Amino acid sequence: MKKLIIACMALLCSMVAGAVEIEPGVSQKLAEQRRAAVGNLCYDLKFRIPASRKEKVTGSAVIKFTYKKCGDDLQLDFQGADGQYGGVVTVNGKKRRAEWRSEHIILKESWLKNGENAVDVAFTSGDKSLNRNEDYLYTLFVPDHARSVFPCFDQPDLKAVFKLKLDVPEGWETVSSVTDQLIPTYLFSFVAGKFSVKKAERSGRTIKALYRETDPDKVAQLDKVFDIADHSIRWFERYTSIPLPFSQYNMVVLPGFQFGGMEHPGAIQFTDHEIFLGKHPTPEEEQTRLELIAHETAHMWFGDMVTMRWFNDVWTKEVFANFFAAKVAREQYPDVNHDLNFLRMYQARALSTDRTPGTHPIQQSLDNLNQAGLLYGNIIYCKAPVMMRKLEQQMGEEALRDGIRQYLHQYAYGNATWDELIDILDSKAPQCGIRQFSETWVKCGGMPTVSAEWKDGRLIVKQEDPQHRGLVWQQQFNVRLDFADGNGGVRSKFVPVDMQSGTVEIETGEKPQNVLLNADGRGYGLFVLNDRSGKPLMTADTADTTALEAPADELQRFALAMTLNENFLAHRIGARQYANTMRQWIVKENNAMIASQLAGYWNNAIDRMDSEGRSINERMMWAEYRRNAIPSVRQRLVRLLYASCQGGEIADSLYAVWKGSTDKLLNKNDYNGMAYRLAIMMPQKCDEILAEQRKRLSNVDELRQFDFVSRACTPDTDKQQALFQSVLKAENRQPEPWTASLLALLNDRTREPFNNRFITPGLDALIDVQRTSDIFFPGYWLGSLLGGHRSSEAAVMVKDFVRQHPGYPQKLMNKLNENAFWLLNR
């Protein structure tokens, strides 16, 4: 077997032979060369972690691997800085002086031999991905950040066994990824610091959690968290017919964590605010926690056991995680309308990006791993599950499950591409056009515009590609046709539409009074809303959407609300009429999930209004907050108000709630957020408000976050300017979620036009932000920088930046176009 492996490596080497340019990051060509030359990897790592953050983390690595010479030197990735690498390595027992250039240690091919090799190197770790705090640290290496901490082959298709020894201060707890099974560098992780530990037995398995929370009521929630993890593991074992692929399942709950979670096998990391909920969590918050835990558990099979070959397919692990997390939730919450929740969790969020000029394909090209962080966003996390549900509808649930099982067994503990999965799925359902489906839904960006017209007894449904590429999105949905019943009432008929082509014709006989496309929400795109005459609703505020009554069926009601929102944002409905419709619906709504979404849509309309219309609607929203019978809806309404109100009467009312802590449905994060905005809207009370709110906090991590973020509330414009200048430097942007909150407050809408001066330098810094940050932060940076601006001056600044940067990196420009949508699409 060993000879066969070396022979195969020799063949691969011959295919990619030749010198590879030494450049920053990990290019696709370098990855292909190394995949052909390197195998059987093992890292034996040692780290010394000092108690003081002023001291550097140091370490050593013994890297063992088999090698097949390819006629080129071997590049070992290490993104250090001066002094982090001493220039000497030991290769197969001999000390060598190795050049360090463009983030790589160059191992001369003459030093290596065909077969087994060992490289021993000492180093000082960079702080970028160590996430060091006063008394704890955690590593986060996705997508290519392991090389900032230790020398390695930092690409997903070179899996390895990791051995680890940590020298930590006395009293610190540690946990790491599995050390006995193959994983790629981006899934390796370790955590060390002052943590509390809780263990539980579930289904014959020990689950351990490290955490820093001190509130006993919140800590008690870990029992529920363990139950969810156990349920998720058992669900995936049933669905895949494969036991949990890794030897341990532990978790770390972290304050200020950059993501919702990260799937390191054996050491899953979670953000504390999604695991430890307030005393009165909303149904959405509870289900979001379950789906988060199920999502990270799914990765044990999808991503960890079977890993994408290259990061252009990073979405493949995320689509399975979200798609199946929604299925896990169906068992845990049997009374929830899960089809409705799927629309809320995934479809609505996917549309929020796909409707903007920043849209892009689910699968994107990727030349270098140092750009991989820009692949993440709503398209891969939310549109991809929508696509997956449509794929399941296209080929059938059983055929999809059988194909996925074959895929997992065939590529277990290895790497695979989306196209290799499509080959398997196509063989399971050859009649379903799976390859063409994938070509449009996965490899092309954007979404269709779907409209209908009645002609000669037929309803003609048309699907058009706004980008004029002639694409057809294969999908199924229902159309509702309303006819006069002869007694002054309306008779509704639901007709299924299977759009395997650009046009579908439906015999209706008589002309319908009203046509509602996508009545069941299964369709995806902009569904042009027609009025009772069959004509599209116009842009003017006179368009009467209030004539559209909320359907009795919950799913239909939510679907119609989504259709209204998309038509509103496409300027087919005026803001006042749309706000009136959403307000009238929410008053009568008894489903908490729908009402919460309606509140957000209502807020969208308010955002487009002049000051008078905004003031009137904010007062009506406050009245609804005080009277609505559903607790979670009251939470949602007050959160919208304190995040976006412009001051005046509503600010005074919010101040009374904050001052007396009178709303028991609100948690500490709510009162912190309320304090920040009140301090901005009431500058004369700024110091008083912040001092009072700080007294309400006791946890050391809460205090650190508050002290970091609350600086942005100062009314002193010189201090605002200095604070903004400080976060232009990478060393001042940690923790990144706190920086995003701070930047959003500096760019609060009530501070225009002063804060317009932050826009251009903030955009100028974007490339550096992307280079130095974790994967989601460029989007957070842009959202915080632009999200509060509404002035024409701010819009001109963004347009000027785009015009002046014609050669800007496209993936970053997509992020900019997505986050500038609310400012530019007025």
Side-chain angles (χ1 to χ4, degrees):
M1 177 61 73
K2 185 174 180 181
K3 290 182 179 179
L4 176 61
I5 292 173
I6 293 176
C8 290
M9 290 171 61
L11 177 61
L12 288 168
C13 267
S14 67
M15 297 170 63
V16 294
V20 173
E21 182 179 352
I22 301 172
E23 59 181 306
V26 178
S27 69
Q28 189 169 13
K29 187 175 181 181
L30 173 61
E32 290 170 351
Q33 181 203 63
R34 295 194 305 203
R35 178 68 184 91
V38 175
N40 301 315
L41 261 168
C42 177
Y43 296 94
D44 192 344
L45 301 172
K46 297 178 182 178
F47 292 94
R48 178 186 173 275
I49 302 173
S52 172
R53 291 174 60 187
K54 295 179 181 179
E55 295 183 52
K56 290 289 186 178
V57 172
T58 57
S60 64
V62 177
I63 308 170
K64 297 180 180 179
F65 56 95
T66 55
Y67 183 67
K68 176 60 182 178
K69 294 189 176 185
C70 293
D72 195 10
D73 295 337
L74 182 61
Q75 298 181 38
L76 185 64
D77 308 327
F78 188 53
Q79 185 193 41
D82 291 342
Q84 290 179 216
Y85 164 62
V88 176
V89 298
T90 300
V91 182
N92 297 324
K94 294 184 179 180
K95 288 189 175 183
R96 305 285 190 177
R97 182 158 294 280
E99 181 186 7
W100 176 62
R101 176 155 52 101
S102 296
E103 303 179 352
H104 302 283
I105 297 171
I106 312 303
L107 304 177
K108 296 292 185 182
E109 187 168 69
S110 59
W111 303 345
L112 303 169
K113 57 187 178 181
N114 286 320
E116 296 180 356
N117 291 264
V119 175
D120 190 339
V121 56
F123 54 86
T124 299
S125 297
D127 284 337
K128 174 180 178 180
S129 297
L130 287 172
N131 295 282
R132 299 182 72 181
N133 293 271
E134 292 300 326
D135 51 7
Y136 70 98
L137 65 77
Y138 60 91
T139 65
L140 189 58
F141 295 152
V142 63
D144 67 332
H145 295 168
R147 61 196 174 90
S148 71
V149 173
F150 63 96
C152 59
F153 300 107
D154 206 2
Q155 61 190 74
D157 59 350
L158 283 180
K159 292 189 172 184
V161 171
F162 288 81
K163 299 178 181 179
L164 177 67
K165 183 176 180 180
L166 297 176
D167 179 4
V168 300
E170 185 176 354
W172 281 27
E173 297 285 344
T174 65
V175 69
S176 72
S177 304
V178 293
T179 56
D180 57 351
Q181 290 163 292
L182 291 170
I183 58 173
T185 47
Y186 85 87
L187 288 174
F188 173 66
S189 178
F190 57 86
V191 177
K194 293 182 179 180
F195 289 91
S196 298
V197 180
K198 186 170 184 176
K199 296 181 180 181
E201 295 291 326
R202 296 290 190 277
S203 301
R205 180 183 294 109
T206 300
I207 302 176
K208 180 172 71 172
L210 273 63
Y211 60 94
R212 289 176 59 82
E213 180 58 60
T214 57
D215 184 335
D217 290 335
K218 288 186 175 181
V219 173
Q221 296 178 34
L222 284 174
D223 290 329
K224 177 65 173 177
V225 170
F226 292 144
D227 289 341
I228 294 170
D230 175 60
H231 174 82
S232 300
I233 292 169
R234 289 185 286 109
W235 190 95
F236 283 103
E237 288 179 332
R238 290 197 311 271
Y239 186 92
T240 64
S241 292
I242 298 173
L244 180 67
F246 296 96
S247 56
Q248 58 188 26
Y249 186 105
N250 301 318
M251 59 183 72
V252 185
V253 187
L254 293 161
F257 188 56
Q258 295 93 315
F259 312 161
M262 181 58 203
E263 66 269 19
H264 309 114
I268 301 172
Q269 295 169 356
F270 291 107
T271 183
D272 60 347
H273 71 265
E274 291 196 21
I275 295 297
F276 297 126
L277 306 181
K279 290 184 178 180
H280 304 282
T282 67
E284 293 91 340
E285 288 171 336
E286 293 211 58
Q287 187 155 333
T288 296
R289 177 173 65 182
L290 180 140
E291 294 199 24
L292 171 62
I293 295 169
H295 174 110
E296 303 306 335
T297 303
H299 278 311
M300 301 303 107
W301 289 262
F302 301 97
D304 293 8
M305 186 183 79
V306 178
T307 307
M308 64 275 171
R309 200 177 306 282
W310 184 240
F311 255 91
N312 66 320
D313 270 337
V314 64
W315 69 275
T316 57
K317 69 186 183 72
E318 303 303 340
V319 65
F320 287 124
N322 271 348
F323 179 67
F324 288 125
K327 288 182 177 288
V328 174
R330 286 180 181 270
E331 289 190 6
Q332 198 79 343
Y333 292 100
D335 297 329
V336 170
N337 186 329
H338 289 280
D339 289 331
L340 187 157
N341 189 57
F342 190 91
L343 298 184
R344 179 185 71 88
M345 286 287 290
Y346 302 114
Q347 198 139 320
R349 295 176 183 177
L351 289 168
S352 72
T353 295
D354 231 4
R355 73 170 75 99
T356 76
T359 185
H360 56 79
I362 293 174
Q363 184 188 67
Q364 301 179 73
S365 62
L366 182 67
D367 296 327
N368 193 304
L369 281 181
N370 61 16
Q371 298 294 308
L374 294 174
L375 302 179
Y376 292 80
N378 284 329
I379 296 297
I380 74 167
Y381 280 100
C382 299
K383 185 179 180 180
V386 172
M387 176 280 298
M388 205 70 196
R389 186 167 76 154
K390 293 187 178 303
L391 179 60
E392 186 178 60
Q393 293 167 354
Q394 191 81 3
M395 65 184 297
E397 188 173 356
E398 185 175 341
L400 177 65
R401 184 201 62 205
D402 291 346
I404 286 173
R405 286 180 175 178
Q406 180 178 330
Y407 161 81
L408 290 173
H409 280 89
Q410 185 170 331
Y411 295 103
Y413 301 101
N415 300 82
T417 67
W418 170 254
D419 288 339
E420 287 168 331
L421 172 60
I422 286 296
D423 287 341
I424 293 172
L425 297 182
D426 189 57
S427 71
K428 299 296 180 182
Q431 75 285 0
C432 293
I434 300 303
R435 294 185 192 279
Q436 183 56 49
F437 177 95
S438 173
E439 192 67 29
T440 298
W441 279 98
V442 173
K443 300 189 178 186
C444 297
M447 64 183 187
T449 298
V450 185
S451 60
E453 63 175 331
W454 186 88
K455 185 177 181 180
D456 299 330
R458 293 170 301 161
L459 183 73
I460 303 171
V461 182
K462 293 183 178 180
Q463 182 179 199
E464 297 177 302
D465 177 7
Q467 299 182 41
H468 309 293
R469 297 162 294 179
L471 298 179
V472 173
W473 285 261
Q474 296 162 279
Q475 59 176 326
Q476 303 163 20
F477 53 85
N478 283 347
V479 175
R480 192 185 95 190
L481 306 176
D482 293 338
F483 301 94
D485 65 0
N487 298 312
V490 174
R491 169 178 54 86
S492 295
K493 179 181 179 181
F494 292 87
V495 180
V497 176
D498 188 358
M499 297 213 76
Q500 299 297 315
S501 62
T503 302
V504 174
E505 296 187 5
I506 302 168
E507 295 289 341
T508 67
E510 62 179 309
K511 182 179 181 179
Q513 284 188 338
N514 196 36
V515 176
L516 288 178
L517 298 168
N518 196 29
D520 57 352
R522 287 189 300 158
Y524 184 81
L526 169 60
F527 292 87
V528 177
L529 187 70
N530 288 24
D531 69 10
R532 291 177 184 270
S533 68
K535 297 178 181 178
L537 292 168
M538 295 295 105
T539 306
D541 279 346
T542 55
D544 187 13
T545 59
T546 57
L548 282 171
E549 295 184 2
D553 179 83
E554 290 181 341
L555 187 62
Q556 294 174 31
R557 202 156 64 243
F558 194 96
L560 181 53
M562 286 178 58
T563 297
L564 286 168
N565 188 61
E566 292 308 307
N567 279 266
F568 163 67
L569 294 174
H571 301 282
R572 296 175 180 271
I573 304 172
R576 289 181 183 273
Q577 285 291 337
Y578 181 53
N580 288 339
T581 302
M582 293 297 98
R583 180 179 58 82
Q584 291 171 14
W585 284 22
I586 200 173
V587 167
K588 301 174 183 178
E589 185 57 60
N590 56 17
N591 181 296
M593 280 197 294
I594 298 176
S596 178
Q597 194 76 10
L598 295 176
Y601 289 163
W602 184 9
N603 197 58
N604 288 349
I606 296 173
D607 188 69
R608 284 264 184 89
M609 291 181 176
D610 57 24
S611 58
E612 180 185 2
R614 170 181 284 277
S615 179
I616 292 170
N617 274 268
E618 284 182 352
R619 290 199 297 272
M620 289 190 290
M621 185 175 281
W622 177 265
E624 188 60 27
Y625 155 62
R626 302 304 292 179
R627 63 153 292 279
N628 197 282
I630 306 173
S632 61
V633 177
R634 294 202 301 275
Q635 284 176 306
R636 173 71 164 151
L637 289 167
V638 74
R639 286 168 177 169
L640 290 169
L641 284 166
Y642 77 64
S644 61
C645 81
Q646 300 298 281
E649 177 185 337
I650 300 302
D652 291 338
S653 299
L654 287 167
Y655 179 81
V657 171
W658 169 82
K659 184 69 173 176
S661 299
T662 56
D663 192 335
K664 302 305 179 185
L665 295 175
L666 301 181
N667 57 38
K668 284 183 180 179
N669 289 333
D670 288 314
Y671 280 108
N672 282 344
M674 201 179 293
Y676 296 149
R677 289 232 60 230
L678 288 170
I680 289 174
M681 291 186 290
M682 300 176 172
Q684 73 281 6
K685 295 183 178 181
C686 177
D687 292 342
E688 169 205 325
I689 291 170
L690 296 180
E692 173 61 28
Q693 185 60 28
R694 195 180 191 282
K695 290 178 183 178
R696 300 175 181 182
L697 306 176
S698 56
N699 181 285
V700 63
D701 295 316
E702 292 174 344
L703 288 167
R704 288 172 182 165
Q705 179 176 358
F706 186 85
D707 290 342
F708 185 99
V709 174
S710 63
R711 297 175 296 163
C713 299
T714 176
D716 187 322
T717 54
D718 288 339
K719 290 182 179 179
Q720 292 175 34
Q721 181 71 52
L723 195 52
F724 174 75
Q725 291 298 132
S726 74
V727 297
L728 293 178
K729 299 178 181 179
E731 61 267 27
N732 296 325
R733 295 198 288 259
Q734 296 293 335
E736 288 173 349
W738 299 0
T739 299
S741 297
L742 178 146
L743 186 62
L745 293 171
L746 289 175
N747 286 277
D748 190 88
R749 62 189 64 194
T750 62
R751 286 175 161 175
E752 282 191 314
F754 173 81
N755 58 11
N756 286 343
R757 70 189 64 196
F758 300 153
I759 293 176
T760 300
L763 294 176
D764 287 337
L766 184 56
I767 288 179
D768 181 67
V769 167
Q770 186 274 324
R771 183 182 61 83
T772 59
S773 70
D774 279 309
I775 56 179
F776 297 114
F777 190 61
Y780 294 158
W781 175 270
L782 287 166
S784 297
L785 180 70
L786 302 177
H789 291 277
R790 295 294 182 268
S791 67
S792 58
E793 179 189 9
V796 168
M797 288 178 171
V798 174
K799 290 176 182 177
D800 284 347
F801 181 88
V802 173
R803 178 176 51 80
Q804 294 164 8
H805 294 79
Y808 205 70
Q810 187 57 54
K811 292 181 177 64
L812 268 183
M813 186 59 74
N814 286 342
K815 294 289 184 188
L816 172 55
N817 284 327
E818 176 187 350
N819 285 280
F821 177 80
W822 286 100
L823 174 59
L824 302 183
N825 186 46
R826 305 299 292 171

